[in-house]
Amino acid sequence: MSFLWSNFDQVWNLTVSHVWLAALPIVIGFIVSLPIGWLANRYRLSRGVLLTIGGILYTIPSLPLFFAMPALIGTQILAPVNVVLALSIYAVALMVRTVADALASVQGDVLQSATAIGFSAWRRFWSVELPLGGPVLLAGLRVVSVSTVSLVSVAALIGVPNLGYLFTDGLNRSYTEEVVVGIVAIMIVALVFDLVLVLLGRLLLPWTRLDSSTRRLSRSAAMKAVRGA
């Protein structure tokens, strides 16, 4: 661990940069994917088209996309905005399907009841569809989080500072400890992101804990009944 203690300030600065480069695309991807996923769920014809486009976008290799962004948006090659926008594209590509599936998981009877009591389409989306589809959205967002944190490291190859720099520099110098520190640091960032999302899910979706408790009680009662029989 001598490398970490000797270069702690550098590792910390790279970690902070890595966190921002990963967090922004996750947030942007989630916000942008909501209306697109709603369209994919609302209209059957658009679902296939939008999900296909999303699948194609996600197959674009990250490194060529990072190089292409300056030409597309007119920025400098080392501008962090290139990485943020490129990773936002990947986040949207993944989250559109998740949003569509989450909204489709809401039972039709619930939607009809909300409409019957006077909910507009806008209010029904925010008050009924989005909360009930929350668990599916959270699961998809956790996948996007892990994917984005790992993809940020690729940006080190074009000179954007992040924890991926420890890979490239360590390999160039044959310094295994530096590479290991980079790997462990990225794993920690990914775990922290996942933990934050889980805690947010518990805070914003408290009814999911009640459902889990109910299922556990039901299984326990069933087992007791079987043993009693």
Side-chain angles (χ1 to χ4, degrees), residues 6 13-14 32 51-52 54 57 68 70 96 98 120 134 141-142 144 151 153 162 169 183-185 193 203 210:
S6 301
N13 290 333
L14 292 174
V32 173
L51 296 186
T52 299
L57 289 175
V96 166
T98 299
S120 64
L141 198 57
R142 292 174 68 183
V144 171
L151 283 173
S153 59
N162 64 76
D169 187 62
I183 294 173
V184 173
F193 271 45
L203 179 64
L210 296 176

Side-chain angles (χ1 to χ4, degrees), residues 4-162:
L4 177 60
W5 302 127
S6 301
N7 301 272
F8 184 81
D9 289 342
Q10 179 190 27
V11 174
W12 175 253
N13 290 333
L14 292 174
T15 301
V16 172
S17 177
H18 199 107
V19 167
W20 279 110
L21 289 173
L24 288 176
I26 294 171
V27 174
I28 293 172
F30 178 73
I31 294 174
V32 173
S33 65
L34 283 178
I36 301 176
W38 180 84
L39 286 174
N41 176 66
R42 178 83 175 188
Y43 304 104
R44 185 178 299 273
L45 181 62
S46 65
R47 179 183 177 89
V49 175
L50 292 174
L51 296 186
T52 299
I53 293 175
I56 293 173
L57 289 175
Y58 196 73
T59 61
I60 301 174
S62 57
L63 189 56
L65 183 58
F66 290 155
F67 277 113
M69 291 306 296
L72 295 175
I73 61 177
T75 55
Q76 298 296 320
I77 185 66
L78 297 181
V81 67
N82 299 325
V83 178
V84 172
L85 291 180
L87 295 182
S88 297
I89 291 174
Y90 290 130
V92 171
L94 285 176
M95 280 301 298
V96 166
R97 179 178 293 275
T98 299
V99 173
D101 291 342
L103 298 179
S105 68
V106 181
Q107 296 181 359
D109 294 342
V110 175
L111 299 179
Q112 292 176 5
S113 298
T115 302
I117 62 176
F119 277 31
S120 64
W122 179 257
R123 185 183 177 190
R124 190 180 70 177
F125 172 76
W126 289 107
S127 302
V128 179
E129 296 178 72
L130 194 59
L132 293 181
V136 178
L137 286 174
L138 179 61
L141 198 57
R142 292 174 68 183
V143 173
V144 171
S145 172
V146 174
S147 173
T148 304
V149 170
S150 62
L151 283 173
V152 169
S153 59
V154 180
L157 296 175
I158 62 173
V160 177
N162 64 76

